[in-house]
């Protein structure tokens, strides 16, 4: 693992890290106010590493939810990480099992998007750069949540500002990946489906369902395209 490759990975992920810092601080503050020690917050970030899940833990703790309920909800919210890890598995197949496990642990929506984007260009990206990007975002989130928890009530962060930062980051990641009509229409389908399901269910499980449905829709469009091209070649 060369220093040059690590720097390239860190350079690719730094815009995401700028978004992680305020969100991590806010998450840490909320968890501290929910009763968690800053060491517990950092351990939570180390093991769970999921912004949506950790924000949910804070709100569920305040609401008096039990441990089993939290575990079940975290499982479903983070289930999408299984799909993301599986889709990138062939990119690191020459690496060891330990490397693959750690790579899977450090994948988030944002690092997945960055890695997917760069892996499309042959020769530009490799597992070392990918893990460097993942680890940089991972460390940023752990430190940000830890600092937020240590600072506690002394940090005043507006939820409105957090929402704008999160939305802007995801819009950037989405636009950077729209390279053909299939991706575009899948993105449109995802947006409409997410709004409809959230309106009907009023629960974050709508995000998981949208991910599954959008994956199926994208696969359907790709299969239709392949069939059409096969007919034209025949």
């Amino acid at each position: 693992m060369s220093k040059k490759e690590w720097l390239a990975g860190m350079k690719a992920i730094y815009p995401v890290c700028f978004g992680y810092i305020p969100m991590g601080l806010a998450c840490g503050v909320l968890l501290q106010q929910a009763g968690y020690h800053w060491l517990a917050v950092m351990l939570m970030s180390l093991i769970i590493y999921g912004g949506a899940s950790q924000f949910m833990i804070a709100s569920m703790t305040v609401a008096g939810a039990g441990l089993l309920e939290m575990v079940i909800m975290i499982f479903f919210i983070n289930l999408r990480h299984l799909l993301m890890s599986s889709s990138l598995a062939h990119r690191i197949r020459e690496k060891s099992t330990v490397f693959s496990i750690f790579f899977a642990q450090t994948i988030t929506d944002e690092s997945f998007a960055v890695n997917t984007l760069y892996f499309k260009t042959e020769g530009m990206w490799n597992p070392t750069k990918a893990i460097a990007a993942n680890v940089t975002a991972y460390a940023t989130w752990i430190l940000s949540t830890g600092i937020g928890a240590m600072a506690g009530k002394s940090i005043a962060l507006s939820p409105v500002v957090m929402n704008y930062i999160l939305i802007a980051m995801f819009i950037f990641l989405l636009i950077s990946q729209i390279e053909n009509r299939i991706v575009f229409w899948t993105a449109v389908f995802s947006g409409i489906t997410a709004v409809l399901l959230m309106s009907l269910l009023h629960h974050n499980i709508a995000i998981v369902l949208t991910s599954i449905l959008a994956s199926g829709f994208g696969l359907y469009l790709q299969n239709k395209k392949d069939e059409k091209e096969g007919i034209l070649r025949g």
Side-chain angles (χ1 to χ4, degrees):
M1 296 186 179
S2 69
K3 180 180 179 181
K4 184 177 181 180
E5 289 179 320
W6 270 84
L7 289 175
M10 294 170 69
K11 182 179 179 181
I13 201 72
Y14 83 87
V16 169
C17 294
F18 281 134
Y20 274 12
I21 292 172
M23 286 190 293
L25 290 172
C27 185
V29 170
L30 290 176
L31 286 168
Q32 187 275 335
Q33 293 176 351
Y36 291 93
H37 190 272
W38 67 268
L39 285 174
V41 172
M42 294 190 74
L43 183 62
M44 188 188 299
S45 296
L46 184 71
I47 297 174
I48 297 176
Y49 188 36
S53 298
Q54 290 175 246
F55 275 109
M56 183 200 67
I57 288 173
S59 62
M60 290 185 73
T61 300
V62 172
L67 179 61
L68 181 60
E69 294 173 276
M70 293 185 194
V71 170
I72 292 173
M73 285 306 304
I74 291 170
F75 173 78
F76 281 108
I77 290 177
N78 286 356
L79 190 61
R80 68 191 188 282
H81 292 181
L82 178 64
L83 300 175
M84 293 187 287
S85 301
S86 300
S87 68
L88 290 176
H90 68 287
R91 299 289 190 177
I92 59 170
R93 57 178 175 269
E94 74 275 12
K95 292 294 183 178
S96 66
T97 301
V98 174
F99 182 98
S100 299
I101 292 173
F102 185 64
F103 185 83
Q105 167 62 18
T106 55
I107 287 179
T108 59
D109 302 271
E110 297 81 18
S111 60
F112 170 76
V114 170
N115 279 312
T116 300
L117 177 64
Y118 282 99
F119 267 128
K120 290 177 181 179
T121 305
E122 292 297 329
M124 179 181 182
W125 208 239
N126 58 42
T128 299
K129 294 178 182 179
I131 196 67
N134 286 8
V135 169
T136 302
Y138 190 37
T140 301
W141 179 257
I142 294 171
L143 291 173
S144 298
T145 54
I147 293 171
M150 284 186 281
K153 296 180 180 180
S154 61
I155 294 181
L157 294 172
S158 170
V160 176
V161 174
M162 295 302 103
N163 288 336
Y164 274 112
I165 292 173
L166 183 63
I167 293 171
M169 182 168 59
F170 275 109
I171 289 175
F172 164 76
L173 292 171
L174 174 63
I175 292 175
S176 65
Q177 293 187 80
I178 296 179
E179 58 180 17
N180 54 51
R181 291 184 178 180
I182 292 178
V183 178
F184 172 78
W185 287 114
T186 301
V188 172
F189 176 85
S190 299
I192 295 173
T193 304
V195 171
L196 290 175
L197 289 179
M198 283 298 291
S199 300
L200 291 172
L201 302 177
H202 302 287
H203 198 281
N204 285 335
I205 193 66
I207 299 173
V208 178
L209 295 176
T210 299
S211 300
I212 296 172
L213 292 173
S215 298
F217 181 73
L219 180 61
Y220 168 77
L221 293 180
Q222 185 63 54
N223 288 338
K224 294 294 289 184
K225 179 183 177 182
D226 293 342
E227 289 178 7
K228 184 176 180 180
E229 291 178 349
I231 293 174
L232 292 176
R233 286 196 296 268

